[in-house]
Amino acid sequence: MLMQILIGSGLTIVSTMIAAVVFGGISYVMGRLQGWLSRPPHTGKQMLMLAFGLVGAMLMITASVWVWAAAYRWLGIFETLEESLYFSLVAFTTLGFGDIVLPQEWRLLSGLIAANGILNVGVTSAMIMNLLREMRQDQAGPRLF
């Protein structure tokens, strides 16, 4: 049980670091483009930045799923990479079909990957909304009070 918790916690930390790097990159790009983003016209730029944020979110989720799948494969929990990826994606997104389940000695990992997925989706949503809010504030110009 302790081994499952340690492995799951380590994988969650790796997934969190992936999210931090992806959104750090998005923030960096938006900072570099701040002057261009704040000049009119705004509508196309807002859509472009939303798409950029969503692509970043998909990259982060995909990378996290691959990390979990690689761990399942390395631990010998699943026989194929496809099976590992499928379970990881279904569990990470908390879809949980139940057609593939972890063996009893590893079942705590399924709860940990689901918790990791919930947290990452929440953080992803918050980051995208914050990036768009900051862009809109820059576009509106300085506030008088």
Side-chain angles (χ1 to χ4, degrees):
M1 179 174 87
L2 180 60
M3 183 59 69
Q4 293 178 70
I5 293 171
L6 290 173
I7 291 169
S9 297
L11 292 169
T12 299
I13 290 168
V14 170
S15 177
T16 302
M17 296 307 293
I18 290 169
V21 167
V22 168
F23 284 106
I26 290 171
S27 293
Y28 175 78
V29 169
M30 286 188 72
R32 297 285 296 182
L33 297 174
Q34 185 175 12
W36 177 73
L37 290 171
S38 62
R39 289 189 305 268
H42 300 305
T43 304
K45 295 172 186 176
Q46 292 167 0
M47 291 187 295
L48 180 66
M49 286 299 105
L50 176 59
F52 185 59
L54 292 174
V55 168
M58 285 304 297
L59 287 173
M60 181 271 302
I61 290 169
T62 301
S64 295
V65 166
W66 273 93
V67 165
W68 279 89
Y72 291 140
R73 207 46 208 110
W74 182 73
L75 292 167
I77 295 172
F78 294 113
E79 291 184 21
T80 66
L81 180 59
E82 188 273 336
E83 207 174 18
S84 297
L85 278 169
Y86 174 77
F87 178 82
S88 297
L89 183 60
V90 169
F92 193 86
T93 59
T94 68
L95 190 55
F97 285 134
D99 54 342
I100 297 178
V101 295
L102 294 178
Q104 183 174 350
E105 63 270 15
W106 293 107
R107 67 182 173 187
L108 286 179
L109 288 179
S110 61
L112 293 169
I113 189 174
N116 185 195
I118 288 170
L119 291 173
N120 278 13
V121 168
V123 167
T124 299
S125 300
M127 288 296 295
I128 290 171
M129 294 309 297
N130 187 56
L131 291 170
L132 292 174
R133 182 188 58 80
E134 287 178 7
M135 186 177 78
R136 290 291 294 150
Q137 284 178 339
D138 288 345
Q139 290 173 344
R143 295 185 181 187
L144 299 175
F145 45 90

